[in-house]
C-alpha cells in the first residue's frame, strides 16, 4: 500500500511517516505544492494525506486538479483549520475525510485504514487478529468462531484497537473516537478505564488470545498473548 | 438630579436675590418719587397760603390742623430770618371717615416762615403721606407674586425649550446605552446641527472606533494565536505518542513522558476551547435552523452515560414540552453538552443531575459543592471554583458566549446544595 503525505511541516511529516511505516505502508512525502502536484499526477497512491495550506499553493487546488483528471478519491485532508466551510468544500472536491490538527496518530491510522478498506472492499469486511474476528458489516465479534456479544461502545472500542494493532492508543484518542466531542473537556478519563475493564472481562471469558495492555497510564495497546 | 431641575434650582435662587434687591431699590426710589411729588404740592400750597395771607388776615390766626392742612404761628424776626424751608416726615392725629377716633397718620410737612405787614409767621403745611407699612406690605405681595409668576414661566419655558434643545443629547445617550461592542453595527448618531452635540458625537464615535478596532484585533489575535498553536501542538502530541511506543524505553522515563503527554493534551483541549470561543465571538457559526433540543439532550446524556455512571450519578430528564429553537446545530449541541458536562463534572459520587425541558427553557440542576458560586464570575472565562480540576474553565463561558450571541438569558441559582443553570431560548 502506497501513501503520499503532503505536509510542509517537516516535524509533523516525520511523525506521520514514522507512524504509517509501522503499519507497513510505503510512505512518500511532498512538502510543497509543486512537488505534490508532480507526484500525484505521475504516480498512483492508495491514499493521500493532504495539508491545505502549502507553500506556493493551496491543497484545494490539488484537489480540483485531481477531480478534473478523475483521480480523486482516497484523499484525507489534514488541516489546522477547523471550519465547517473548509470541511464541506474539501468533501465536495472529492476528499474522503477531513482530520483537524492536532490529531492522534491512532486516529490517523483508523481514518487511513477506513479509506483503504472502502477502496479495496472485496466482499470481505472484517478484521482478524489472533483467534478473533470482528465483522464490520454485521457488527459482530467472534472468538474461535463463537459469537461474543458486545454493546455498541465496546464494539467501537475494540474496532479502534484492531485498527491500531500493537500500537499505542491513548485514552484521549479512544475517548474522542468512541464518545465523540463530548469528552472534550472531561477532566478525568477514568470512565474509559471502567469500559476497558468490561471489555477485558469479555475477552477473557470468551478465551480470546488477545488482550488489552496498559501503557504507562496514558493509554492501551492491543496485543496477542 | 436632572439638568433641567438643576438649572431651575440655580435660576430660582438667583432670581430670588435679584427680585429682592430690585424690590428694595424700587421701594426706595418710589418713596423718593412720592415725597418729591408731595413736596411740590406743598410748595404750591405754601405759595397760595402766603398770597392769601396778604389779603385775608383770618388765615393768620389759624392755629391747628383741622379742615385744611396748615397752621400759622407768630414768631420773632430773628428766628424767621434764620429759618429755612424744611420738609419733615412727621405724624399728626387725624380722623378718617372709617376711623372712630383720631389716629396717628404719617404726613409730609413743610415748615417755612414769611412776613405779612412786618409781622413774621411760621407756616406749617402738611399733606398726608402713604403709610410705609401699607406700602411695604403691598409691595411685598406684589414681589412675591412676581417671583412666583417668573419661576412658573421659567419652569414652563425650561421644560419646553430645554427639552427640545437637549433632545438630540438624550437620543444620543439612549443609543449609547444600548450600544454593545461587537454586536451593534451602527455607531450612535445625532440628528442635530448644535455644535456641542456634534462635537460630542464626533468624540464618542472616535473613541468607539478605537475600541472597535482594538476589540477586533483582540478577537483576531486570539483566533490566530490558537490557530497557529494547532500545528506545533500536533507535532508535540504525535512525537510523544511515537516516543511512548519505543520498546527500549525505561519505565521511569516512560512515566515522565506520559505525564508530559497529559499536560500537552490539556493544552490541546484548552486551545480547542479558545478556538471555539473565538469562532463564536467572530460569529462564524450562523447556520440557523429550527432545532428540537429534546432529542439532543437525551442523545448527549446517552453519550455521557459512562461518565455519569462511573460517578454513580442519578440522571433524570423531565420534559413538559417540545423545546424548539432557531439555532446553529453545532452550537445547539455545544450548549447542551457543555451544560450537561458541567453538571456531571462538578458533582460528587452518588449525586444527582436533573434536566428539565419546558416550552422555552432548558434547566440543568446538579448536586455539588455546598456553596453558592459567584454570580458575576461563574460564566467568566477561566474562572474555576477549585484549582484541582483540570477542566479548562471555559465550558460555561462558551455556553454564555453562545447565549449572548443569540440574546438568550442565562441564569444561575443555588439552593440547598443544588446548583441550577438555565437558559431561556427566547429573546425578550
Amino acid at each position: 500500500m502506497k501513501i503520499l503525505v503532503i505536509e510542509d511541516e517537516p516535524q509533523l511529516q516525520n511523525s506521520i511517516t514514522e507512524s504509517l511505516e509501522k503499519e507497513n505502508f510505503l510512505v512518500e512525502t511532498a512538502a510543497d505544492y509543486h512537488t505534490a502536484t508532480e507526484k500525484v499526477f505521475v504516480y498512483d497512491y492508495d491514499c493521500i494525506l493532504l495539508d491545505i495550506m502549502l507553500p506556493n499553493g493551496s491543497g484545494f487546488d490539488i484537489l480540483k486538479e485531481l477531480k478534473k483528471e478523475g483521480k480523486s478519491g482516497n484523499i484525507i485532508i489534514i488541516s489546522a483549520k477547523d471550519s465547517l466551510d473548509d470541511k464541506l468544500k474539501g468533501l465536495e472536491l472529492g476528499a474522503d475525510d477531513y482530520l483537524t490538527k492536532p490529531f492522534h496518530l491512532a486516529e490517523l491510522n483508523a481514518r487511513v485504514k477506513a479509506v483503504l478498506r472502502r477502496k479495496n472492499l472485496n466482499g470481505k469486511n472484517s478484521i482478524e487478529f489472533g483467534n478473533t474476528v470482528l465483522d464490520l458489516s454485521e457488527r459482530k465479534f467472534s472468538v474461535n468462531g463463537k459469537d461474543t456479544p458486545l454493546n455498541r461502545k465496546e464494539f467501537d472500542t475494540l474496532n479502534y484497537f484492531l485498527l491500531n494493532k500493537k500500537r499505542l492508543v491513548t485514552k484521549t484518542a479512544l475517548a474522542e473516537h468512541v464518545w465523540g466531542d463530548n469528552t472534550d473537556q472531561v477532566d478525568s478519563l477514568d470512565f474509559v478505564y471502567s469500559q476497558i475493564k468490561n471489555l477485558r472481562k469479555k475477552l477473557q471469558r470468551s478465551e480470546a488470545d488477545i488482550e488489552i495492555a496498559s501503557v504507562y497510564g496514558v493509554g492501551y495497546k492491543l496485543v496477542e498473548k | 438630579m436632572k439638568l433641567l431641575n438643576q438649572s431651575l434650582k440655580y435660576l430660582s435662587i438667583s432670581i430670588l436675590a435679584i427680585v429682592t434687591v430690585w424690590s428694595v431699590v424700587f421701594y426706595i426710589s418710589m418713596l423718593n418719587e412720592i415725597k418729591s411729588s408731595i413736596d411740590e404740592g406743598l410748595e404750591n400750597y405754601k405759595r397760595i397760603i402766603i398770597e392769601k395771607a396778604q389779603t385775608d388776615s383770618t388765615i393768620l390766626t389759624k392755629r391747628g390742623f383741622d379742615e385744611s392742612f396748615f397752621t400759622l404761628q407768630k414768631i420773632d424776626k430773628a428766628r424767621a430770618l434764620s429759618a429755612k424751608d424744611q420738609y419733615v416726615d412727621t405724624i399728626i392725629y387725624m380722623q378718617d371717615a372709617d376711623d372712630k377716633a383720631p389716629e396717628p397718620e404719617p404726613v409730609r410737612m413743610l415748615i417755612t416762615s414769611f412776613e405779612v405787614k412786618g409781622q413774621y409767621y411760621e407756616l406749617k403745611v402738611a399733606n398726608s403721606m402713604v403709610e410705609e407699612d401699607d406700602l411695604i406690605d403691598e409691595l411685598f405681595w406684589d414681589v412675591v407674586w412676581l417671583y412666583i409668576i417668573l419661576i412658573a414661566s421659567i419652569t414652563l419655558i425650561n421644560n419646553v425649550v430645554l427639552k427640545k434643545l437637549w433632545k438630540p443629547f438624550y437620543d444620543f445617550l439612549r443609543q449609547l446605552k444600548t450600544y454593545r461592542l461587537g454586536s451593534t453595527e451602527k455607531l450612535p448618531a445625532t440628528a442635530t446641527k448644535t455644535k456641542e452635540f456634534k462635537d460630542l458625537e464626533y468624540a464618542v464615535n472616535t473613541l468607539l472606533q478605537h475600541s472597535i478596532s482594538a476589540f477586533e484585533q483582540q478577537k483576531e489575535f486570539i483566533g490566530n494565536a490558537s490557530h497557529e498553536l494547532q500545528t506545533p501542538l500536533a507535532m508535540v502530541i504525535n512525537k510523544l505518542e511515537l516516543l511512548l511506543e519505543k520498546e527500549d524505553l525505561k519505565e521511569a522515563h516512560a512515566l515522565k513522558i506520559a505525564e508530559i503527554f497529559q499536560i500537552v493534551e490539556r493544552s490541546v483541549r484548552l486551545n480547542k476551547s479558545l478556538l471555539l470561543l473565538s469562532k463564536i465571538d467572530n460569529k462564524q457559526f450562523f447556520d440557523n435552523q429550527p432545532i428540537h433540543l429534546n432529542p439532543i439532550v437525551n442523545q448527549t446524556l446517552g453519550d455521557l452515560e459512562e461518565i455519569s455512571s462511573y460517578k454513580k450519578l442519578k440522571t433524570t430528564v423531565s420534559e413538559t414540552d417540545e423545546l424548539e429553537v432557531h439555532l446553529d446545530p453545532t452550537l445547539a449541541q455545544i450548549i447542551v453538552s457543555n451544560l450537561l458536562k458541567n453538571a456531571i463534572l462538578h458533582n460528587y459520587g452518588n449525586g444527582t443531575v436533573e434536566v428539565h425541558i419546558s416550552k422555552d427553557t432548558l434547566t440543568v440542576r446538579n448536586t455539588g459543592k455546598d456553596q453558592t458560586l459567584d454570580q458575576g464570575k461563574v460564566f467568566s472565562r477561566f474562572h474555576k471554583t477549585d484549582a484541582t480540576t483540570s477542566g479548562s474553565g471555559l465550558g460555561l463561558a462558551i455556553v454564555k458566549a453562545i447565549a449572548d450571541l443569540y440574546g438568550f438569558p442565562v441564569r444561575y441559582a443555588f439552593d440547598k446544595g443544588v446548583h441550577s443553570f438555565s437558559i431561556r431560548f427566547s429573546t425578550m
Side-chain angles (χ1 to χ4, degrees):
Chain A
M1 294 274 188
K2 234 163 80 175
I3 298 179
L4 177 66
V5 179
I6 303 171
E7 164 65 60
D8 62 320
E9 200 64 59
Q11 298 292 338
L12 202 58
Q13 199 193 69
N14 285 346
S15 299
I16 294 171
T17 309
E18 194 182 331
S19 172
L20 289 174
E21 277 171 349
K22 279 191 178 182
E23 300 289 322
N24 296 321
F25 291 121
L26 200 64
V27 186
E28 282 188 29
T29 57
D32 61 70
Y33 181 79
H34 300 305
T35 329
T37 37
E38 225 175 86
K39 287 201 172 172
V40 291
F41 290 110
V42 176
Y43 309 103
D44 274 321
Y45 296 95
D46 296 291
C47 181
I48 297 170
L49 301 182
L50 177 65
D51 189 6
I52 294 300
M53 289 201 277
L54 291 169
N56 315 321
S58 157
F60 285 129
D61 293 331
I62 299 179
L63 269 181
K64 273 181 211 152
E65 294 293 318
L66 282 169
K67 199 178 181 185
K68 234 188 274 169
E69 296 276 315
K71 283 182 90 172
S72 61
N74 315 323
I75 297 161
I76 299 174
I77 294 172
I78 42 174
S79 170
K81 267 175 127 180
D82 184 20
S83 83
L84 197 64
D85 284 347
D86 274 9
K87 272 182 195 170
L88 291 177
K89 191 177 172 192
L91 297 180
E92 222 166 78
L93 286 171
D96 287 66
D97 212 339
Y98 193 104
L99 196 55
T100 314
K101 291 178 195 170
F103 47 79
H104 294 277
L105 290 174
E107 187 62 28
L108 180 69
N109 262 341
R111 304 271 183 121
V112 169
K113 285 181 182 169
V115 165
L116 291 177
R117 196 166 49 237
R118 242 173 280 154
K119 189 194 179 196
N120 306 321
L121 204 60
N122 37 17
K124 195 183 94 175
N125 193 14
S126 59
I127 309 172
E128 291 170 27
F129 192 43
N131 60 352
T132 65
V133 180
L134 191 73
D135 189 332
L136 296 176
S137 34
E138 299 281 318
R139 287 187 72 85
K140 272 184 180 160
F141 177 61
S142 55
V143 183
N144 283 326
K146 226 172 75 191
D147 213 22
T148 306
L150 298 178
N151 69 28
R152 185 174 68 85
K153 277 165 188 162
E154 284 165 347
F155 183 90
D156 289 342
T157 307
L158 192 61
N159 183 14
Y160 199 53
F161 276 122
L162 283 167
L163 291 171
N164 288 289
K165 285 175 211 163
K166 297 179 196 167
R167 296 290 305 275
L168 166 70
V169 174
T170 62
K171 281 183 194 169
T172 325
L174 182 65
E176 273 171 21
H177 184 86
V178 178
W179 283 271
D181 287 337
N182 286 319
T183 57
D184 253 16
Q185 283 163 48
V186 175
D187 55 342
S188 151
L189 292 169
D190 292 339
F191 71 94
V192 173
Y193 171 73
S194 67
Q195 183 76 5
I196 296 291
K197 214 165 73 182
N198 290 342
L199 194 55
R200 274 176 177 158
K201 265 185 222 157
K202 283 195 180 173
L203 287 176
Q204 222 166 16
R205 237 181 284 146
S206 60
E207 293 169 350
D209 58 3
I210 57 171
E211 65 174 358
I212 301 167
S214 288
V215 182
Y216 310 120
V218 282
Y220 304 95
K221 195 191 260 188
L222 187 69
V223 290
E224 279 173 294
K225 270 183 189 168
Chain B
M1 203 188 222
K2 277 185 106 176
L3 188 70
L4 189 71
N5 299 338
Q6 266 183 3
S7 77
L8 266 182
K9 186 178 89 184
Y10 291 119
L11 272 176
S12 47
I13 291 170
S14 46
I15 285 176
L16 184 64
I18 292 170
V19 166
T20 309
V21 170
W22 176 85
S23 51
V24 169
V25 171
F26 176 74
Y27 172 76
I28 292 166
S29 76
M30 194 167 77
L31 213 56
N32 281 337
E33 190 59 36
I34 289 170
K35 279 179 185 172
S36 73
S37 156
I38 289 175
D39 290 353
E40 264 171 47
L42 286 175
E43 177 72 34
N44 192 39
Y45 206 17
K46 175 192 109 180
R47 200 174 41 82
I48 293 169
I49 290 169
I50 293 172
E51 251 169 45
K52 268 206 161 169
Q54 305 290 340
T55 53
D56 183 359
S57 59
T58 55
I59 292 170
L60 296 171
T61 56
K62 198 169 178 309
R63 290 288 174 267
F65 294 102
D66 31 41
E67 78 287 342
S68 51
F69 283 92
F70 68 93
T71 58
L72 282 168
Q73 202 174 0
K74 266 187 192 161
I75 48 169
D76 52 42
K77 189 184 170 186
R79 198 176 144 202
L81 288 177
S82 66
K84 281 180 187 160
D85 282 9
Q86 54 175 314
Y87 295 93
V88 287
D89 292 324
T90 181
I91 281 171
I92 49 178
Y93 282 83
M94 282 189 289
Q95 195 168 4
D96 288 347
D98 52 345
D99 293 336
K100 281 181 205 126
E103 276 186 359
E105 295 278 347
V107 288
R108 186 79 175 159
M109 190 183 277
L110 168 63
I111 303 170
T112 186
S113 50
F114 64 99
E115 185 233 327
V116 181
K117 298 165 188 151
Q119 183 64 54
Y120 291 91
Y121 296 91
E122 182 190 64
L123 172 65
K124 286 181 181 172
V125 193
N127 198 339
S128 73
M129 268 273 291
V130 284
E131 286 177 49
E132 288 190 24
D133 289 0
D134 288 353
L135 187 67
I136 288 172
D137 206 41
E138 194 78 7
L139 206 64
F140 173 77
W141 284 112
D142 282 350
V143 167
V144 167
W145 276 113
L146 175 74
Y147 182 70
I148 290 169
I149 289 167
L150 266 178
I151 294 300
S153 39
I154 285 171
T155 311
L156 202 72
I157 293 167
N158 241 348
N159 260 312
V160 175
V161 173
L162 277 188
K163 262 195 187 147
K164 197 169 159 6
L165 280 179
W166 284 93
K167 193 180 174 290
F169 177 79
Y170 289 117
D171 281 349
F172 190 64
L173 196 66
R174 198 168 353 95
Q175 291 180 58
L176 265 184
K177 274 183 188 163
T178 54
Y179 189 85
R180 293 285 171 275
L181 213 56
S183 57
T184 313
E185 278 171 28
K186 248 178 67 191
L187 286 173
T190 54
T192 178
K193 288 197 176 80
T194 315
K195 187 178 174 298
E196 283 81 358
F197 296 148
K198 278 276 150 208
D199 283 353
L200 178 72
E201 182 190 343
Y202 178 75
V204 167
N205 284 348
T206 314
L207 200 64
L208 275 181
Q209 260 150 3
H210 277 301
S211 305
I212 291 168
S213 71
F215 182 70
E216 294 293 331
Q217 272 171 15
Q218 189 208 348
K219 276 202 308 194
E220 217 172 284
F221 177 77
I222 297 172
N224 286 346
S226 41
H227 184 250
E228 289 303 317
L229 270 173
Q230 299 280 78
T231 308
L233 282 172
M235 292 190 255
V236 179
I237 284 265
N238 296 350
K239 285 202 178 289
L240 287 175
E241 280 176 331
L242 288 169
L243 192 57
L244 281 167
E245 284 186 337
K246 291 263 189 280
E247 297 294 334
D248 50 356
L249 206 60
K250 284 210 179 79
E251 172 97 18
H253 297 165
L255 287 174
K256 281 280 168 232
I257 297 168
E259 276 170 26
I260 299 169
F261 183 77
Q262 274 156 354
I263 297 166
V264 177
E265 292 219 300
R266 207 172 129 188
S267 327
V268 171
R269 282 201 298 274
L270 188 63
N271 200 49
K272 270 191 188 164
S273 303
L274 275 179
L275 205 54
L276 179 62
L277 253 182
S278 115
K279 273 190 192 169
I280 295 167
D281 287 347
N282 286 318
K283 299 188 185 68
Q284 284 178 16
F285 298 97
F286 250 157
D287 177 24
N288 295 337
Q289 44 188 273
I291 286 176
H292 288 274
L293 282 186
N294 306 50
I296 296 182
V297 169
N298 288 313
Q299 166 77 40
T300 311
L301 270 179
D303 291 342
L304 294 166
E305 200 209 312
E306 277 78 16
I307 308 173
S308 53
S309 64
Y310 178 78
K311 282 189 125 173
K312 298 194 174 58
L313 301 178
K314 193 169 164 283
T315 53
T316 47
V317 183
S318 59
E319 302 168 55
T320 54
D321 215 322
E322 220 15 62
L323 176 48
E324 193 185 332
V325 54
H326 216 71
L327 203 69
D328 181 284
T330 318
L331 296 182
Q333 172 68 52
I334 291 170
I335 282 201
V336 170
S337 77
N338 279 17
L339 277 179
L340 293 177
K341 270 189 277 180
N342 184 68
I344 290 170
L345 243 63
H346 299 286
N347 218 316
Y348 46 71
N350 298 310
T352 58
V353 175
E354 286 170 45
V355 186
H356 181 77
I357 307 170
S358 71
K359 180 119 193 86
D360 64 351
T361 311
L362 171 68
T363 311
V364 181
R365 293 193 189 90
N366 66 281
T367 49
K369 219 173 168 185
D370 195 13
Q371 186 189 334
T372 182
L373 305 173
D374 189 338
Q375 279 280 6
K377 284 186 187 157
V378 65
F379 293 108
S380 63
R381 295 172 189 193
F382 300 114
H383 174 71
K384 286 199 246 180
T385 41
D386 56 278
T388 50
T389 55
S390 57
S392 63
L394 286 171
L396 288 176
I398 289 172
V399 171
K400 180 86 166 82
I402 298 172
D404 283 351
L405 188 62
Y406 288 89
F408 300 149
V410 189
R411 267 194 200 90
Y412 164 73
F414 177 78
D415 184 36
K416 297 189 189 88
V418 177
H419 301 266
S420 155
F421 295 88
S422 62
I423 301 184
R424 243 190 77 185
F425 290 92
S426 68
T427 45
M428 305 294 228

